[in-house]
Amino acid sequence: MESESERRVMACFKSEADDAASVPFDLPIDITVEKLQLVCNALLQNEETTPYAFFVNDIEIIDTLRNALDKDSLENSEKVHEILYQPQAVFKVRAVTRCTSTIEGHKEAVISVAFSPDGRYLASGSGDKTVRFWDITTETPQHLCEAHKHWVLCIAWSPDGRKLASGCKNSQICIWDPATGKQIGRTLNGHRQWITWLTWKPLHLDPDCRYLVSSSKDATVRIWDTVLCQCKLTLSGHIQSVTCVKWGGSDLLYTSSQDRTVKVWRAEDGVLCRTLQGHGHWVNTMALSTDYAIRTGAYDPAKATIVHKDILDTAEELKNKALERYNAAKAAGPERLVSGSDDFTLFLWQPEIDKKSIARMTGHQQLINEVLFSPDTRIIASASFDKSVKLWDGKSGKYLASLRGHVNRVYQIAWSADSRLLCSGSADSTLKVWDIRAKKLLYDLPGHADEVYAVDWSPDGQRVASGGKDKVLKIWRK
Protein backbone atom coordinates (compact mmCIF):
# COMPACT_ATOMS: atom_id res chain seq x y z
CA MET A 1 0.00 0.00 0.00
CA GLU A 2 1.53 3.31 -1.04
CA SER A 3 1.81 5.98 1.66
CA GLU A 4 -0.32 9.15 1.57
CA SER A 5 2.55 11.32 0.36
CA GLU A 6 3.49 8.96 -2.48
CA ARG A 7 0.02 8.58 -3.97
CA ARG A 8 -0.27 9.21 -7.67
CA VAL A 9 -3.15 9.89 -10.05
CA MET A 10 -3.61 9.59 -13.80
CA ALA A 11 -3.90 12.96 -15.52
CA CYS A 12 -3.71 14.58 -18.91
CA PHE A 13 -3.42 18.22 -19.95
CA LYS A 14 -5.98 19.81 -22.26
CA SER A 15 -6.30 23.29 -23.73
CA GLU A 16 -9.33 25.60 -23.80
CA ALA A 17 -9.96 24.50 -27.39
CA ASP A 18 -10.40 20.94 -26.01
CA ASP A 19 -7.35 19.43 -27.67
CA ALA A 20 -5.42 17.07 -25.43
CA ALA A 21 -1.77 18.05 -25.18
CA SER A 22 -0.64 14.71 -23.90
CA VAL A 23 -1.44 11.06 -23.45
CA PRO A 24 -2.47 10.33 -19.84
CA PHE A 25 0.43 9.95 -17.44
CA ASP A 26 0.69 9.60 -13.71
CA LEU A 27 1.44 12.52 -11.43
CA PRO A 28 2.17 12.66 -7.72
CA ILE A 29 -0.94 13.90 -5.97
CA ASP A 30 1.04 16.54 -4.07
CA ILE A 31 2.47 18.14 -7.22
CA THR A 32 2.61 21.93 -6.88
CA VAL A 33 1.52 24.56 -9.38
CA GLU A 34 5.17 25.47 -10.02
CA LYS A 35 5.97 21.86 -10.98
CA LEU A 36 2.85 21.68 -13.17
CA GLN A 37 4.11 24.81 -14.98
CA LEU A 38 7.40 23.04 -15.76
CA VAL A 39 5.68 19.82 -16.92
CA CYS A 40 3.17 21.70 -19.10
CA ASN A 41 5.81 23.92 -20.73
CA ALA A 42 7.96 20.87 -21.42
CA LEU A 43 5.08 18.89 -22.95
CA LEU A 44 4.07 21.80 -25.19
CA GLN A 45 7.74 22.32 -26.11
CA ASN A 46 7.49 26.08 -25.54
CA GLU A 47 10.67 27.92 -26.41
CA GLU A 48 9.88 30.63 -23.90
CA THR A 49 8.27 29.75 -20.59
CA THR A 50 4.59 30.73 -20.59
CA PRO A 51 2.75 31.22 -17.28
CA TYR A 52 -0.36 29.03 -16.98
CA ALA A 53 -3.36 28.71 -14.69
CA PHE A 54 -4.54 25.13 -14.11
CA PHE A 55 -8.07 23.90 -13.47
CA VAL A 56 -9.41 20.46 -12.64
CA ASN A 57 -13.23 19.98 -12.66
CA ASP A 58 -13.61 23.80 -12.93
CA ILE A 59 -11.63 24.32 -9.72
CA GLU A 60 -8.38 26.24 -9.97
CA ILE A 61 -5.28 24.51 -8.64
CA ILE A 62 -3.94 27.13 -6.24
CA ASP A 63 -1.25 25.19 -4.33
CA THR A 64 -1.29 21.41 -4.92
CA LEU A 65 -3.32 19.03 -7.05
CA ARG A 66 -4.60 17.19 -3.95
CA ASN A 67 -6.38 20.30 -2.61
CA ALA A 68 -8.25 20.82 -5.89
CA LEU A 69 -9.59 17.24 -6.13
CA ASP A 70 -12.67 16.12 -4.25
CA LYS A 71 -12.78 12.99 -2.07
CA ASP A 72 -14.35 10.74 -4.75
CA SER A 73 -11.70 11.68 -7.29
CA LEU A 74 -8.96 10.87 -4.80
CA GLU A 75 -10.43 7.43 -4.12
CA ASN A 76 -10.88 6.56 -7.82
CA SER A 77 -7.42 5.54 -8.98
CA GLU A 78 -8.61 4.47 -12.45
CA LYS A 79 -10.01 7.84 -13.49
CA VAL A 80 -7.97 10.09 -15.79
CA HIS A 81 -8.17 13.68 -14.52
CA GLU A 82 -8.26 16.34 -17.20
CA ILE A 83 -6.16 19.33 -16.21
CA LEU A 84 -7.20 22.39 -18.19
CA TYR A 85 -4.32 24.81 -18.81
CA GLN A 86 -4.92 28.48 -19.61
CA PRO A 87 -2.04 30.68 -20.77
CA GLN A 88 -1.83 33.89 -18.72
CA ALA A 89 -0.51 37.29 -19.82
CA VAL A 90 3.28 37.22 -19.98
CA PHE A 91 3.44 40.76 -18.59
CA LYS A 92 2.12 41.94 -15.22
CA VAL A 93 0.29 45.20 -14.55
CA ARG A 94 1.01 46.56 -11.09
CA ALA A 95 -2.01 47.75 -9.13
CA VAL A 96 -2.51 51.49 -8.73
CA THR A 97 -2.24 52.46 -5.07
CA ARG A 98 -2.15 56.26 -4.81
CA CYS A 99 -3.50 59.41 -6.37
CA THR A 100 -0.65 61.34 -8.00
CA SER A 101 -2.72 64.28 -9.28
CA THR A 102 -6.05 65.93 -8.80
CA ILE A 103 -6.46 68.12 -11.86
CA GLU A 104 -9.02 70.89 -11.90
CA GLY A 105 -10.36 72.26 -15.17
CA HIS A 106 -13.92 71.12 -15.78
CA LYS A 107 -16.60 73.39 -14.33
CA GLU A 108 -19.24 70.65 -14.05
CA ALA A 109 -19.30 66.89 -13.38
CA VAL A 110 -16.95 64.69 -15.41
CA ILE A 111 -19.17 62.20 -17.24
CA SER A 112 -16.68 60.20 -19.31
CA VAL A 113 -12.96 59.48 -19.18
CA ALA A 114 -10.97 57.54 -21.79
CA PHE A 115 -7.33 56.74 -22.56
CA SER A 116 -6.27 56.49 -26.18
CA PRO A 117 -5.50 52.95 -27.50
CA ASP A 118 -1.81 53.16 -26.59
CA GLY A 119 -2.34 55.12 -23.35
CA ARG A 120 -0.50 58.16 -24.75
CA TYR A 121 -3.44 60.58 -24.51
CA LEU A 122 -6.23 61.04 -22.00
CA ALA A 123 -9.57 62.72 -22.75
CA SER A 124 -12.66 63.55 -20.72
CA GLY A 125 -16.17 64.81 -21.44
CA SER A 126 -18.13 66.89 -18.98
CA GLY A 127 -21.40 68.54 -18.11
CA ASP A 128 -19.71 71.91 -18.76
CA LYS A 129 -20.16 71.28 -22.55
CA THR A 130 -16.43 70.78 -23.15
CA VAL A 131 -14.03 67.98 -24.03
CA ARG A 132 -10.59 68.22 -22.47
CA PHE A 133 -7.31 66.52 -23.30
CA TRP A 134 -4.84 66.03 -20.45
CA ASP A 135 -1.06 65.72 -20.58
CA ILE A 136 -0.39 62.47 -18.72
CA THR A 137 3.35 62.96 -18.29
CA THR A 138 3.08 66.27 -16.47
CA GLU A 139 -0.48 65.50 -15.32
CA THR A 140 -1.82 68.91 -16.31
CA PRO A 141 -4.60 70.18 -18.64
CA GLN A 142 -3.47 70.25 -22.28
CA HIS A 143 -6.31 71.24 -24.64
CA LEU A 144 -9.78 72.64 -24.07
CA CYS A 145 -12.25 71.75 -26.86
CA GLU A 146 -15.35 73.90 -27.15
CA ALA A 147 -18.02 73.33 -29.81
CA HIS A 148 -20.82 71.50 -28.05
CA LYS A 149 -23.85 73.41 -26.82
CA HIS A 150 -24.90 70.93 -24.14
CA TRP A 151 -23.46 68.27 -21.80
CA VAL A 152 -20.92 65.96 -23.42
CA LEU A 153 -22.35 62.51 -22.71
CA CYS A 154 -19.95 60.13 -24.46
CA ILE A 155 -16.50 60.07 -26.03
CA ALA A 156 -14.74 57.45 -28.18
CA TRP A 157 -11.16 57.13 -29.42
CA SER A 158 -10.51 55.96 -32.97
CA PRO A 159 -8.51 52.69 -32.81
CA ASP A 160 -5.45 54.37 -34.36
CA GLY A 161 -5.48 56.94 -31.53
CA ARG A 162 -5.43 59.92 -33.90
CA LYS A 163 -9.03 61.11 -33.44
CA LEU A 164 -11.56 61.45 -30.66
CA ALA A 165 -15.32 61.61 -31.23
CA SER A 166 -17.65 63.24 -28.71
CA GLY A 167 -21.44 63.26 -28.55
CA CYS A 168 -23.62 65.69 -26.60
CA LYS A 169 -27.11 66.07 -25.22
CA ASN A 170 -27.85 68.48 -28.06
CA SER A 171 -27.57 65.55 -30.54
CA GLN A 172 -24.32 66.78 -32.12
CA ILE A 173 -21.11 64.84 -32.73
CA CYS A 174 -17.67 66.45 -33.01
CA ILE A 175 -14.32 64.92 -34.04
CA TRP A 176 -11.14 66.23 -32.36
CA ASP A 177 -7.41 66.02 -33.01
CA PRO A 178 -5.65 65.08 -29.73
CA ALA A 179 -2.33 66.58 -30.83
CA THR A 180 -3.73 70.09 -31.34
CA GLY A 181 -7.10 70.04 -29.59
CA LYS A 182 -8.72 71.46 -32.75
CA GLN A 183 -11.94 70.18 -34.31
CA ILE A 184 -11.55 68.04 -37.45
CA GLY A 185 -14.14 68.81 -40.13
CA ARG A 186 -17.70 69.93 -39.49
CA THR A 187 -19.97 69.03 -36.60
CA LEU A 188 -22.06 65.97 -37.48
CA ASN A 189 -25.78 66.80 -37.27
CA GLY A 190 -28.67 64.43 -37.92
CA HIS A 191 -29.88 62.87 -34.69
CA ARG A 192 -32.99 64.43 -33.16
CA GLN A 193 -32.26 63.52 -29.54
CA TRP A 194 -29.14 63.14 -27.43
CA ILE A 195 -26.28 60.81 -28.32
CA THR A 196 -26.02 57.74 -26.09
CA TRP A 197 -22.98 55.89 -27.51
CA LEU A 198 -20.20 56.24 -30.09
CA THR A 199 -18.02 53.51 -31.63
CA TRP A 200 -15.48 53.54 -34.47
CA LYS A 201 -15.15 50.88 -37.12
CA PRO A 202 -12.45 48.35 -36.06
CA LEU A 203 -8.93 49.10 -37.33
CA HIS A 204 -8.56 45.83 -39.25
CA LEU A 205 -11.64 46.70 -41.33
CA ASP A 206 -10.91 50.41 -41.69
CA PRO A 207 -7.20 51.26 -41.38
CA ASP A 208 -7.90 54.95 -42.07
CA CYS A 209 -10.47 55.16 -39.23
CA ARG A 210 -12.97 56.86 -41.48
CA TYR A 211 -16.27 55.45 -40.21
CA LEU A 212 -18.03 56.07 -36.91
CA VAL A 213 -21.37 54.81 -35.61
CA SER A 214 -23.59 56.62 -33.12
CA SER A 215 -26.72 55.63 -31.22
CA SER A 216 -29.29 58.05 -29.91
CA LYS A 217 -32.35 58.49 -27.75
CA ASP A 218 -34.24 59.15 -31.02
CA ALA A 219 -34.29 55.31 -31.52
CA THR A 220 -31.95 55.41 -34.54
CA VAL A 221 -28.36 54.43 -35.22
CA ARG A 222 -26.29 56.39 -37.76
CA ILE A 223 -23.09 55.47 -39.58
CA TRP A 224 -20.98 58.55 -40.35
CA ASP A 225 -18.24 59.18 -42.89
CA THR A 226 -15.93 61.42 -40.86
CA VAL A 227 -13.95 62.53 -43.93
CA LEU A 228 -16.97 63.85 -45.84
CA CYS A 229 -18.68 64.76 -42.52
CA GLN A 230 -21.97 63.23 -43.59
CA CYS A 231 -24.31 60.42 -42.61
CA LYS A 232 -23.82 57.29 -44.71
CA LEU A 233 -26.63 55.11 -43.31
CA THR A 234 -29.45 55.42 -40.80
CA LEU A 235 -30.67 52.24 -39.11
CA SER A 236 -34.16 52.57 -37.71
CA GLY A 237 -35.63 49.38 -36.35
CA HIS A 238 -35.76 50.05 -32.63
CA ILE A 239 -38.91 51.63 -31.20
CA GLN A 240 -37.31 53.24 -28.15
CA SER A 241 -34.01 54.87 -27.20
CA VAL A 242 -30.93 52.98 -28.40
CA THR A 243 -28.64 52.74 -25.37
CA CYS A 244 -25.47 51.20 -26.78
CA VAL A 245 -23.88 50.28 -30.10
CA LYS A 246 -20.89 48.03 -30.83
CA TRP A 247 -19.07 47.53 -34.14
CA GLY A 248 -17.96 43.90 -34.28
CA GLY A 249 -14.84 42.59 -35.96
CA SER A 250 -16.83 40.75 -38.64
CA ASP A 251 -18.43 44.04 -39.77
CA LEU A 252 -21.68 43.53 -37.87
CA LEU A 253 -23.29 46.20 -35.71
CA TYR A 254 -24.91 45.30 -32.40
CA THR A 255 -27.42 47.71 -30.85
CA SER A 256 -29.21 47.53 -27.51
CA SER A 257 -32.33 49.48 -26.72
CA GLN A 258 -34.94 50.43 -24.16
CA ASP A 259 -37.38 48.42 -26.30
CA ARG A 260 -35.85 45.37 -24.49
CA THR A 261 -34.11 43.97 -27.58
CA VAL A 262 -30.61 43.68 -29.00
CA LYS A 263 -30.44 43.90 -32.79
CA VAL A 264 -27.71 42.65 -35.15
CA TRP A 265 -27.14 44.60 -38.41
CA ARG A 266 -24.87 44.28 -41.43
CA ALA A 267 -22.77 47.46 -41.38
CA GLU A 268 -22.14 47.60 -45.15
CA ASP A 269 -25.79 47.94 -46.19
CA GLY A 270 -27.72 48.32 -42.92
CA VAL A 271 -29.70 45.08 -43.28
CA LEU A 272 -31.17 43.75 -40.02
CA CYS A 273 -29.82 40.21 -39.50
CA ARG A 274 -31.52 39.14 -36.28
CA THR A 275 -33.19 40.43 -33.14
CA LEU A 276 -32.11 38.99 -29.78
CA GLN A 277 -34.97 38.86 -27.30
CA GLY A 278 -35.08 37.80 -23.67
CA HIS A 279 -34.68 40.84 -21.45
CA GLY A 280 -37.76 41.99 -19.56
CA HIS A 281 -36.74 45.63 -19.21
CA TRP A 282 -34.45 48.24 -20.83
CA VAL A 283 -31.12 46.91 -22.08
CA ASN A 284 -28.51 49.37 -20.76
CA THR A 285 -25.14 48.08 -21.74
CA MET A 286 -23.30 45.53 -23.88
CA ALA A 287 -19.80 44.17 -24.25
CA LEU A 288 -18.09 42.09 -26.94
CA SER A 289 -15.52 39.43 -26.10
CA THR A 290 -13.24 41.12 -28.65
CA ASP A 291 -13.79 44.67 -27.27
CA TYR A 292 -10.33 45.07 -25.78
CA ALA A 293 -8.54 43.87 -28.91
CA ILE A 294 -10.71 46.18 -31.06
CA ARG A 295 -10.21 49.11 -28.68
CA THR A 296 -6.41 48.81 -28.65
CA GLY A 297 -6.18 48.05 -32.40
CA ALA A 298 -2.58 47.45 -33.46
CA TYR A 299 -1.19 48.34 -30.00
CA ASP A 300 -0.12 45.32 -27.94
CA PRO A 301 -0.10 46.02 -24.17
CA ALA A 302 2.52 43.28 -23.73
CA LYS A 303 4.99 45.50 -25.60
CA ALA A 304 4.24 48.61 -23.52
CA THR A 305 7.10 51.00 -22.83
CA ILE A 306 7.25 53.66 -20.12
CA VAL A 307 8.07 56.32 -22.72
CA HIS A 308 5.69 56.16 -25.69
CA LYS A 309 7.24 55.43 -29.04
CA ASP A 310 5.96 57.20 -32.15
CA ILE A 311 3.93 54.97 -34.46
CA LEU A 312 5.82 54.75 -37.75
CA ASP A 313 3.96 51.79 -39.29
CA THR A 314 1.96 52.22 -42.50
CA ALA A 315 -1.84 51.86 -42.43
CA GLU A 316 -1.48 48.39 -44.00
CA GLU A 317 0.96 47.21 -41.30
CA LEU A 318 -1.30 48.56 -38.56
CA LYS A 319 -4.27 46.81 -40.17
CA ASN A 320 -2.41 43.46 -40.22
CA LYS A 321 -1.33 43.82 -36.59
CA ALA A 322 -4.89 44.69 -35.57
CA LEU A 323 -6.28 41.71 -37.50
CA GLU A 324 -3.78 39.39 -35.83
CA ARG A 325 -4.77 40.66 -32.37
CA TYR A 326 -8.48 40.42 -33.20
CA ASN A 327 -8.13 36.82 -34.40
CA ALA A 328 -6.17 35.91 -31.27
CA ALA A 329 -8.92 37.37 -29.07
CA LYS A 330 -11.64 35.63 -31.08
CA ALA A 331 -9.74 32.31 -30.91
CA ALA A 332 -11.70 29.38 -32.30
CA GLY A 333 -15.34 30.46 -32.01
CA PRO A 334 -17.43 33.47 -33.06
CA GLU A 335 -17.31 36.62 -30.93
CA ARG A 336 -19.57 36.59 -27.89
CA LEU A 337 -21.82 39.41 -26.72
CA VAL A 338 -23.09 40.03 -23.21
CA SER A 339 -25.98 42.41 -22.50
CA GLY A 340 -26.97 43.93 -19.13
CA SER A 341 -30.39 45.27 -18.28
CA ASP A 342 -32.71 47.09 -15.89
CA ASP A 343 -34.32 43.67 -15.29
CA PHE A 344 -31.26 42.84 -13.08
CA THR A 345 -30.07 40.08 -15.47
CA LEU A 346 -27.40 39.59 -18.11
CA PHE A 347 -27.63 37.46 -21.25
CA LEU A 348 -24.70 35.88 -23.08
CA TRP A 349 -25.10 35.50 -26.87
CA GLN A 350 -23.27 34.38 -29.99
CA PRO A 351 -24.97 36.98 -32.18
CA GLU A 352 -23.10 36.17 -35.41
CA ILE A 353 -24.69 32.73 -35.63
CA ASP A 354 -27.65 32.39 -33.28
CA LYS A 355 -30.53 34.40 -31.89
CA LYS A 356 -30.84 32.04 -28.92
CA SER A 357 -28.83 33.00 -25.84
CA ILE A 358 -26.05 30.83 -24.40
CA ALA A 359 -26.95 31.74 -20.82
CA ARG A 360 -29.15 33.93 -18.68
CA MET A 361 -27.07 35.26 -15.79
CA THR A 362 -29.04 36.12 -12.66
CA GLY A 363 -27.93 37.26 -9.23
CA HIS A 364 -27.83 41.06 -9.25
CA GLN A 365 -30.52 42.71 -7.15
CA GLN A 366 -30.53 46.04 -8.97
CA LEU A 367 -30.02 47.28 -12.52
CA ILE A 368 -26.74 46.59 -14.34
CA ASN A 369 -24.91 49.75 -15.34
CA GLU A 370 -21.82 48.37 -17.07
CA VAL A 371 -20.53 45.01 -18.24
CA LEU A 372 -17.06 44.21 -19.62
CA PHE A 373 -15.16 41.17 -20.87
CA SER A 374 -11.64 40.81 -19.52
CA PRO A 375 -8.93 41.47 -22.16
CA ASP A 376 -8.25 37.70 -22.34
CA THR A 377 -12.05 37.15 -22.83
CA ARG A 378 -12.24 34.54 -20.04
CA ILE A 379 -14.17 36.54 -17.44
CA ILE A 380 -17.15 38.90 -17.61
CA ALA A 381 -17.43 41.59 -14.93
CA SER A 382 -20.72 43.40 -14.31
CA ALA A 383 -21.22 46.55 -12.23
CA SER A 384 -24.57 47.12 -10.63
CA PHE A 385 -26.57 49.57 -8.54
CA ASP A 386 -26.79 46.76 -5.90
CA LYS A 387 -23.28 47.93 -4.76
CA SER A 388 -21.56 44.79 -6.05
CA VAL A 389 -19.41 43.77 -8.99
CA LYS A 390 -20.01 40.20 -10.11
CA LEU A 391 -17.71 37.91 -12.10
CA TRP A 392 -18.96 35.32 -14.60
CA ASP A 393 -17.30 32.76 -16.85
CA GLY A 394 -16.74 34.37 -20.28
CA LYS A 395 -17.61 31.22 -22.25
CA SER A 396 -20.49 29.64 -20.35
CA GLY A 397 -21.86 32.59 -18.35
CA LYS A 398 -21.50 30.58 -15.11
CA TYR A 399 -21.44 32.67 -11.91
CA LEU A 400 -17.97 32.87 -10.34
CA ALA A 401 -17.93 35.44 -7.54
CA SER A 402 -19.26 38.69 -6.08
CA LEU A 403 -16.86 41.51 -5.24
CA ARG A 404 -18.39 43.33 -2.30
CA GLY A 405 -16.98 46.43 -0.62
CA HIS A 406 -18.68 49.43 -2.16
CA VAL A 407 -21.41 50.98 -0.01
CA ASN A 408 -23.30 52.63 -2.88
CA ARG A 409 -24.06 52.17 -6.59
CA VAL A 410 -21.17 50.97 -8.78
CA TYR A 411 -21.13 53.02 -12.00
CA GLN A 412 -18.13 51.93 -14.03
CA ILE A 413 -15.40 49.33 -14.10
CA ALA A 414 -12.09 48.99 -15.96
CA TRP A 415 -9.83 45.96 -16.49
CA SER A 416 -6.05 46.03 -16.34
CA ALA A 417 -4.50 44.90 -19.65
CA ASP A 418 -3.28 41.59 -18.14
CA SER A 419 -6.78 40.62 -16.89
CA ARG A 420 -5.48 40.12 -13.35
CA LEU A 421 -6.96 43.29 -11.80
CA LEU A 422 -10.22 45.21 -11.98
CA CYS A 423 -10.90 48.79 -10.90
CA SER A 424 -14.41 50.02 -10.01
CA GLY A 425 -15.79 53.51 -9.41
CA SER A 426 -18.83 54.11 -7.26
CA ALA A 427 -21.33 56.61 -5.90
CA ASP A 428 -19.65 56.07 -2.50
CA SER A 429 -16.83 58.38 -3.81
CA THR A 430 -14.16 55.65 -3.84
CA LEU A 431 -12.37 53.56 -6.40
CA LYS A 432 -11.53 49.99 -5.52
CA VAL A 433 -8.93 47.71 -7.09
CA TRP A 434 -9.80 44.00 -6.99
CA ASP A 435 -7.53 40.98 -7.31
CA ILE A 436 -9.34 38.73 -9.79
CA ARG A 437 -7.56 35.49 -8.95
CA ALA A 438 -8.11 35.83 -5.20
CA LYS A 439 -11.51 37.45 -5.91
CA LYS A 440 -11.05 39.99 -3.15
CA LEU A 441 -10.30 43.67 -2.51
CA LEU A 442 -6.68 44.65 -3.08
CA TYR A 443 -6.76 48.43 -2.57
CA ASP A 444 -9.36 50.94 -1.48
CA LEU A 445 -8.77 54.34 -3.11
CA PRO A 446 -10.67 57.17 -1.42
CA GLY A 447 -10.03 60.75 -2.51
CA HIS A 448 -12.94 61.98 -4.59
CA ALA A 449 -15.28 64.36 -2.81
CA ASP A 450 -18.41 62.95 -4.46
CA GLU A 451 -19.73 60.19 -6.75
CA VAL A 452 -17.25 58.68 -9.23
CA TYR A 453 -18.99 58.44 -12.62
CA ALA A 454 -16.14 57.44 -14.92
CA VAL A 455 -13.04 55.29 -14.63
CA ASP A 456 -10.51 53.99 -17.16
CA TRP A 457 -7.28 51.96 -16.89
CA SER A 458 -4.71 52.88 -19.52
CA PRO A 459 -3.89 50.02 -21.92
CA ASP A 460 -0.18 50.39 -21.14
CA GLY A 461 -1.05 49.57 -17.52
CA GLN A 462 0.65 52.67 -16.09
CA ARG A 463 -2.28 54.62 -14.65
CA VAL A 464 -5.97 54.83 -13.87
CA ALA A 465 -7.98 58.00 -14.47
CA SER A 466 -11.25 58.79 -12.76
CA GLY A 467 -13.78 61.62 -12.81
CA GLY A 468 -17.12 62.38 -11.29
CA LYS A 469 -19.45 64.79 -9.57
CA ASP A 470 -16.65 66.73 -7.83
CA LYS A 471 -15.55 68.09 -11.27
CA VAL A 472 -11.89 67.06 -10.91
CA LEU A 473 -9.94 64.45 -12.80
CA LYS A 474 -7.77 62.19 -10.69
CA ILE A 475 -4.81 60.18 -11.93
CA TRP A 476 -3.81 57.10 -9.91
CA ARG A 477 -0.50 55.28 -10.17
CA LYS A 478 1.36 52.43 -8.56
Side-chain angles (χ1 to χ4, degrees):
M1 181 74 188
E2 58 187 340
S3 71
E4 250 328 89
S5 58
E6 289 165 6
R7 279 185 59 187
R8 304 177 81 83
V9 288
M10 292 292 284
C12 71
F13 286 111
K14 71 167 200 167
S15 71
E16 292 175 285
D18 276 352
D19 22 319
S22 63
V23 290
F25 54 93
D26 70 327
L27 285 173
I29 199 156
D30 286 324
I31 189 167
T32 61
V33 173
E34 290 73 24
K35 298 256 176 63
L36 279 172
Q37 300 269 15
L38 294 171
V39 173
C40 193
N41 272 296
L43 277 170
L44 295 170
Q45 297 172 345
N46 292 337
E47 284 178 21
E48 289 182 18
T49 308
T50 307
Y52 290 102
F54 299 99
F55 295 82
V56 60
N57 305 331
D58 286 343
I59 296 166
E60 185 170 2
I61 304 171
I62 304 283
D63 37 27
T64 64
L65 180 58
R66 177 200 295 270
N67 295 346
L69 290 170
D70 55 23
K71 194 158 179 277
D72 297 342
S73 304
L74 290 172
E75 301 299 321
N76 185 353
S77 56
E78 298 295 308
K79 185 180 173 196
V80 176
H81 298 287
E82 288 189 335
I83 299 176
L84 174 73
Y85 61 92
Q86 288 184 348
Q88 304 294 296
V90 287
F91 62 100
K92 260 205 166 85
V93 172
R94 282 165 61 183
V96 293
T97 58
R98 63 202 172 92
C99 175
T100 54
S101 300
T102 301
I103 323 173
E104 293 177 1
H106 283 301
K107 298 180 183 66
E108 288 295 331
V110 180
I111 300 170
S112 48
V113 165
F115 282 98
S116 65
D118 61 357
R120 172 188 296 247
Y121 297 110
L122 171 64
S124 62
S126 161
D128 65 7
K129 311 176 195 170
T130 67
V131 170
R132 279 180 180 264
F133 290 102
W134 310 85
D135 185 325
I136 54 171
T137 41
T138 58
E139 303 188 349
T140 52
Q142 193 170 20
H143 301 300
L144 171 65
C145 309
E146 295 175 301
H148 288 294
K149 307 207 169 41
H150 213 316
W151 307 341
V152 178
L153 299 177
C154 50
I155 56 175
W157 282 97
S158 64
D160 65 358
R162 292 187 181 134
K163 288 180 280 203
L164 178 91
S166 59
C168 73
K169 204 172 172 185
N170 211 19
S171 72
Q172 293 174 322
I173 299 163
C174 298
I175 315 290
W176 308 95
D177 179 348
T180 61
K182 299 273 187 293
Q183 190 175 347
I184 303 171
R186 295 193 308 274
T187 300
L188 308 177
N189 291 305
H191 282 298
R192 295 187 305 283
Q193 293 249 35
W194 65 74
I195 312 292
T196 54
W197 206 275
L198 293 166
T199 308
W200 292 81
K201 190 169 182 175
L203 191 63
H204 63 270
L205 300 174
D206 179 16
D208 301 322
C209 293
R210 182 170 181 167
Y211 296 103
L212 170 77
V213 64
S214 63
S215 62
S216 165
K217 194 175 155 59
D218 66 12
T220 68
V221 173
R222 285 173 180 262
I223 299 174
W224 304 89
D225 182 329
T226 60
V227 174
L228 299 175
C229 298
Q230 63 191 35
C231 179
K232 182 178 163 234
L233 271 178
T234 304
L235 313 178
S236 47
H238 285 294
I239 50 175
Q240 282 190 39
S241 171
V242 184
T243 52
C244 181
V245 58
K246 296 277 176 190
W247 202 319
S250 54
D251 211 17
L252 290 173
L253 289 173
Y254 309 106
T255 58
S256 64
S257 165
Q258 291 185 351
D259 65 12
R260 310 198 303 274
T261 66
V262 174
K263 289 187 189 287
V264 184
W265 316 77
R266 266 209 318 258
E268 54 188 325
D269 49 12
V271 170
L272 178 63
C273 302
R274 53 185 67 86
T275 300
L276 314 179
Q277 291 175 312
H279 282 297
H281 208 311
W282 299 350
V283 188
N284 295 325
T285 176
M286 292 186 300
L288 280 173
S289 57
T290 50
D291 265 348
Y292 206 82
I294 289 173
R295 171 197 171 172
T296 48
Y299 174 76
D300 186 352
K303 300 187 174 76
T305 51
I306 304 273
V307 179
H308 288 288
K309 295 192 180 103
D310 285 331
I311 301 161
L312 304 168
D313 298 6
T314 62
E316 194 58 33
E317 287 168 337
L318 291 175
K319 175 186 168 178
N320 293 337
K321 276 188 191 170
L323 183 60
E324 205 177 294
R325 295 197 59 240
Y326 169 73
N327 287 333
K330 207 171 88 155
E335 51 191 0
R336 301 181 299 285
L337 177 84
V338 63
S339 55
S341 162
D342 263 29
D343 66 6
F344 313 167
T345 70
L346 300 125
F347 274 88
L348 184 61
W349 319 84
Q350 282 184 325
E352 283 179 36
I353 54 173
D354 198 1
K355 63 176 189 184
K356 223 167 83 242
S357 62
I358 302 171
R360 178 171 182 256
M361 296 132 76
T362 58
H364 278 299
Q365 277 136 20
Q366 285 283 336
L367 69 88
I368 288 131
N369 198 54
E370 188 171 38
V371 60
L372 283 178
F373 272 90
S374 60
D376 64 11
T377 78
R378 291 188 188 123
I379 296 176
I380 296 165
S382 56
S384 166
F385 279 21
D386 67 7
K387 309 173 195 172
S388 76
V389 175
K390 290 192 191 298
L391 303 177
W392 317 81
D393 183 281
K395 280 204 169 67
S396 64
K398 195 173 121 240
Y399 170 76
L400 298 175
S402 283
L403 306 177
R404 297 195 178 279
H406 283 298
V407 292
N408 212 330
R409 299 183 292 276
V410 186
Y411 286 122
Q412 274 201 354
I413 44 180
W415 283 95
S416 65
D418 63 354
S419 307
R420 290 186 176 100
L421 303 166
L422 183 76
C423 183
S424 56
S426 159
D428 65 10
S429 84
T430 69
L431 284 105
K432 292 192 186 332
V433 178
W434 309 89
D435 179 334
I436 294 304
R437 190 170 179 197
K439 299 183 174 49
K440 61 176 199 278
L441 181 66
L442 198 59
Y443 292 108
D444 188 12
L445 305 175
H448 276 288
D450 213 324
E451 308 192 359
V452 183
Y453 292 144
V455 56
D456 195 22
W457 202 315
S458 69
D460 63 7
Q462 297 285 321
R463 39 183 83 72
V464 166
S466 61
K469 208 170 173 180
D470 61 2
K471 307 173 194 171
V472 297
L473 191 97
K474 281 187 182 283
I475 294 184
W476 309 81
R477 300 185 64 170
K478 52 185 182 282

